[in-house]
Amino acid sequence: MQISYHGHSVVKIQTNDQTILIDPFINGNSQTDLKVTDEAPDIILLTHGHNDHVGDTVELAKKKDALVIAPNELANWISWQGVKAHPMHIGGAKQFDFGKVKFTQAFHGSSYITENNEIIYMGMPAGVLLFIEGLTIYHAGDTALFSDMKLIGERHPIDIAFIPIGDNFTMGPEDAACAVEFLKPKIVVPIHYNTFPPIEQDPQIFANLVQNAEVQILKAGEKVNCS
């Protein structure tokens, strides 16, 4: 299995026979190395409905009739776009053929802005726990720091965590480092920074604040070193 980071909050997981994309914001993402024309995922996981996370989901999903797994309201809306979707919600878990998915809480917003400047409410934002091939992967989505991260880490020992550090819209480096203390992952990868001016950050500042986890600062396209 290969786990790679592709700028902003985009994460790709490749197993022997399936490709999973999390929050596939590609077009308009200044930090990504991916091209929509080159990607054909089997599974797409969405944390919430903001445009910079839903991204190119509909176009990507239609290529191979991919399954989109998302919080309930977002999944329903995605299905209305002609895409196969499975709705879930915070605290719920389900075993799929590729692994087990569980949604966690996140403190943020969730809405989609159309080309006509209509704001569509997409339900609650979430984080995602993915249990796959013996690893537990946590993608926090967009979130503030919250104390129940301790409970997430205690109940589900995390191998790899993807944590936003951009500040302004999410946790900044200091709160993100505190989140790592709560979650206690073995490896942490900073995400959701440097895509737009309000979230410009030096990830090394975050790395210097983390004490009890291995921080891997990845460029777009680089793989997590799980060895």
Side-chain angles (χ1 to χ4, degrees):
M1 182 170 62
Q2 294 183 340
I3 305 164
S4 51
Y5 174 60
H6 297 276
H8 202 57
S9 297
V10 186
V11 174
K12 180 191 287 188
I13 300 165
Q14 293 178 292
T15 67
N16 289 333
D17 57 355
Q18 290 184 311
T19 299
I20 302 165
L21 282 177
I22 303 177
D23 287 356
F25 170 47
I26 298 174
N27 285 323
N29 181 353
S30 64
Q31 299 296 305
T32 194
D33 62 313
L34 300 182
K35 295 181 179 179
V36 173
T37 53
D38 297 337
E39 300 302 312
D42 301 284
I43 307 293
I44 297 173
L45 299 175
L46 297 178
T47 61
H48 65 291
H50 284 160
N51 298 54
D52 60 327
H53 292 260
V54 174
D56 303 280
T57 292
V58 173
E59 182 177 350
L60 290 166
K62 288 181 177 180
K63 288 188 175 185
K64 291 176 63 177
D65 194 27
L67 176 64
V68 178
I69 303 169
N72 182 65
E73 292 83 357
L74 176 54
N76 287 335
W77 182 82
I78 286 287
S79 72
W80 299 339
Q81 315 311 309
V83 171
K84 182 170 61 179
H86 181 90
M88 295 183 66
H89 230 309
I90 294 168
K94 182 174 174 58
Q95 184 72 47
F96 296 89
D97 60 355
F98 61 88
K100 183 179 178 181
V101 175
K102 183 175 184 178
F103 280 94
T104 69
Q105 67 193 85
F107 285 84
H108 194 60
S110 183
S111 61
Y112 188 84
I113 301 176
T114 70
E115 293 179 354
N116 297 322
N117 291 328
E118 178 187 9
I119 298 176
I120 303 174
Y121 174 65
M122 291 294 185
M124 296 288 288
V128 177
L129 283 163
L130 177 59
F131 308 89
I132 184 168
E133 295 189 6
L135 291 178
T136 299
I137 302 166
Y138 175 59
H139 189 298
D142 281 3
T143 188
L145 175 67
F146 57 96
S147 60
D148 278 354
M149 285 181 168
K150 291 182 181 179
L151 186 61
I152 294 171
E154 288 171 0
R155 297 204 61 242
H156 308 288
I158 297 166
D159 295 291
I160 305 162
F162 293 90
I163 302 292
I165 68 163
D167 220 347
N168 196 76
F169 299 111
T170 69
M171 296 183 288
E174 295 82 5
D175 281 359
C178 184
V180 174
E181 289 298 308
F182 287 170
L183 294 162
K184 299 190 183 333
K186 295 176 182 175
I187 296 168
V188 60
V189 178
I191 64 173
H192 202 275
Y193 66 97
N194 287 351
T195 323
F196 314 111
I199 60 171
E200 290 180 356
Q201 293 290 336
D202 178 356
Q204 191 59 52
I205 294 174
F206 165 73
N208 292 342
L209 293 169
V210 174
Q211 298 183 353
N212 297 309
E214 177 187 347
V215 180
Q216 295 187 19
I217 299 172
L218 303 182
K219 296 179 181 178
E222 291 186 336
K223 298 177 178 64
V224 177
N225 182 1
C226 301
S227 61

